[in-house]
């Protein structure tokens, strides 16, 4: 892989995925996104990985889709290439993904953080959908996910003006989980990953699936979906182990079975 670096077992059962196109501020070209999807699909199948942390570098998580790659394309070429189809696949990743964000998370970069399940931000992080400044609009979910995350008024302001949101504002609006000093953002994300990786991976994935359902269904259907996943955990050895360990006042040892 040229633009993605994957390190497994950084912490037990945690994989670190780094976007690695630093000179272009990790601009998300087609090759990078294809590599990223392959990496996620492989990690999803890897029993030694329970949680994924996705990061860029201190200056940029990612400054958006690669403008140079698409600048001269026609609408029909864009439609036929349907590059965002690759991006859509990322949300099918079953394991939780934590974005560790420092510096620019703009356009497709911001959209990529919102495809993740949690965001830990450095205090230098800047989130934004500046596509309007280059004569276009978000194309990888920004108008939908940002609106759901921060509400209509703020999403309108950000998407129509191209203004950036500081890390603290992003925290205030509920876009990110936590803001920490720049030297801590990756550590914090890995710590959260490590904590989640100690839980039953089956329960974690069923919970992620149920939470994501809430964005797509009415309450009745979402509640029924949650209940089925709740009952399904009782088919796992991990649920038996978790409840037995509680009764025996000891730490559970989850096997992902
Ligand atoms: N695509 C391609 N190249 C990019 C890029 C992008 N999105 N963002 C930065 N780069 C490149 C720059 O062209 C520059 O390359 P050269 O050295 O070869 O000129 C290099 O990265 C460094 O960038 P800057 O010199 O501009 O760095 P800066 O610190 O002065 O500014 C910045 C940083 C404010 C992030 C600025 O680079 C910028 O505005 N980038 C574009 C942000 C943007 O508009 N993103 C949205 C893209 S469209 C999109 O994402 C659609 C979608 O919904 C999926």
């Amino acid at each position: 892989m040229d633009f993605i670096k994957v390190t497994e077992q950084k912490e037990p059962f945690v994989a670190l995925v780094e976007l690695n196109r630093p000179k272009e501020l990790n601009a998300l070209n087609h090759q990078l996104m294809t590599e990223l999807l392959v990496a996620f699909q492989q990690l999803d199948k890897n029993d030694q990985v329970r949680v994924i942390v996705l990061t860029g570098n201190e200056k940029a998580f990612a400054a958006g889709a690669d403008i140079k790659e698409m600048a001269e394309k026609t609408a029909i070429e864009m439609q036929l290439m349907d590059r965002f189809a690759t991006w859509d696949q990322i949300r099918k990743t079953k394991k939780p993904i934590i974005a560790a964000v420092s510096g620019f998370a703009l356009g497709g970069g911001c959209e990529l953080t919102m495809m993740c399940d949690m965001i830990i931000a450095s205090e230098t992080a800047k989130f934004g959908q500046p596509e309007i400044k280059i004569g276009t609009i978000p194309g990888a979910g920004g108008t939908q996910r940002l609106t759901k995350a921060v509400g209509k008024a703020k999403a309108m302001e950000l998407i129509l003006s191209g203004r950036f949101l500081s890390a603290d504002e992003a925290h205030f609006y509920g876009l990110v989980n936590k803001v920490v000093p720049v030297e801590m953002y990756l550590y914090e994300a890995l710590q959260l990953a490590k904590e989640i990786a100690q839980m039953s991976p089956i329960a974690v994935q069923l919970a992620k699936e149920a939470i994501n359902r809430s964005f797509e269904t009415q309450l009745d259907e979402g509640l029924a979906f949650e209940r089925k996943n709740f009952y399904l955990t009782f088919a796992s050895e991990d649920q038996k182990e978790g409840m037995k360990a509680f009764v025996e006042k000891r730490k559970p040892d989850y096997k992902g079975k």
Side-chain angles (χ1 to χ4, degrees):
M1 295 208 184
D2 296 333
F3 298 138
I4 298 289
K5 189 175 158 216
V6 180
T7 317
E8 280 172 39
Q9 296 283 300
K10 184 85 182 172
E11 303 288 349
F13 296 115
V14 173
L16 177 65
V17 178
E18 293 168 83
L19 304 174
N20 190 25
R21 252 193 117 195
K23 276 197 212 116
E24 293 82 6
L25 304 183
N26 290 333
L28 304 165
N29 64 7
H30 184 55
Q31 185 184 339
L32 186 156
M33 289 308 294
T34 306
E35 289 180 9
L36 185 61
L37 179 61
V38 169
F40 283 161
Q41 287 173 336
Q42 287 173 350
L43 293 171
D44 231 11
K45 288 191 198 124
N46 182 340
D47 287 346
Q48 292 309 303
V49 173
R50 293 182 181 175
V51 184
I52 301 166
V53 173
L54 174 65
T55 197
N57 55 55
E58 232 175 83
K59 179 158 189 205
F61 176 81
D66 191 320
I67 298 170
K68 292 167 195 167
E69 193 179 56
M70 62 188 161
E72 297 304 324
K73 296 276 185 276
T74 66
I76 299 302
E77 283 168 339
M78 291 297 279
Q79 161 79 16
L80 291 176
M81 282 188 303
D82 197 15
R83 293 250 163 105
F84 293 141
T86 313
W87 298 50
D88 283 341
Q89 297 294 319
I90 287 174
R91 79 184 171 118
K92 302 212 168 113
T93 309
K94 291 188 176 138
K95 293 175 184 172
I97 307 173
I98 302 172
V101 179
S102 179
F104 299 111
L106 304 177
C110 184
E111 290 165 310
L112 182 56
T113 68
M114 293 188 290
M115 284 176 210
C116 296
D117 303 305
M118 289 153 276
I119 304 175
I120 301 293
S122 109
E123 56 198 3
T124 65
K126 290 179 195 65
F127 297 85
Q129 298 289 161
E131 289 90 345
I132 203 81
K133 292 184 178 171
I134 53 170
T136 183
I137 70 168
T143 61
Q144 306 302 301
R145 292 198 180 96
L146 188 65
T147 308
K148 287 195 164 85
V150 305
K152 175 183 160 182
K154 201 66 193 173
M156 282 284 184
E157 178 192 329
L158 294 173
I159 294 171
L160 272 50
S161 74
R163 283 183 187 176
F164 297 163
L165 207 55
S166 71
D168 283 338
E169 285 174 300
H171 190 231
F172 175 81
Y173 282 100
L175 182 66
V176 309
N177 295 68
K178 189 170 182 182
V179 181
V180 295
V182 64
E183 57 281 8
M184 294 290 289
Y185 74 99
L186 189 53
Y187 172 81
E188 279 285 336
L190 289 167
Q191 284 305 109
L192 178 58
K194 198 174 162 184
E195 197 176 321
I196 295 169
Q198 284 168 17
M199 307 301 156
S200 159
I202 296 169
V204 165
Q205 287 181 34
L206 290 173
K208 167 173 169 166
E209 190 184 31
I211 293 166
N212 280 336
R213 258 306 150 114
S214 74
F215 292 103
E216 285 155 27
T217 54
Q218 299 294 325
L219 185 60
D220 268 355
E221 202 190 318
L223 290 173
F225 189 88
E226 176 195 77
R227 201 136 317 153
K228 286 223 171 63
N229 276 7
F230 171 69
Y231 295 148
L232 193 52
T233 61
F234 284 71
S236 70
E237 290 174 21
D238 282 353
Q239 173 272 329
K240 299 286 172 280
E241 164 65 7
M243 294 196 179
K244 195 159 174 261
F246 175 81
V247 174
E248 293 171 0
K249 299 188 188 300
R250 62 173 172 81
K251 206 170 168 285
D253 178 19
Y254 293 121
K255 303 275 192 238
K257 289 183 180 162

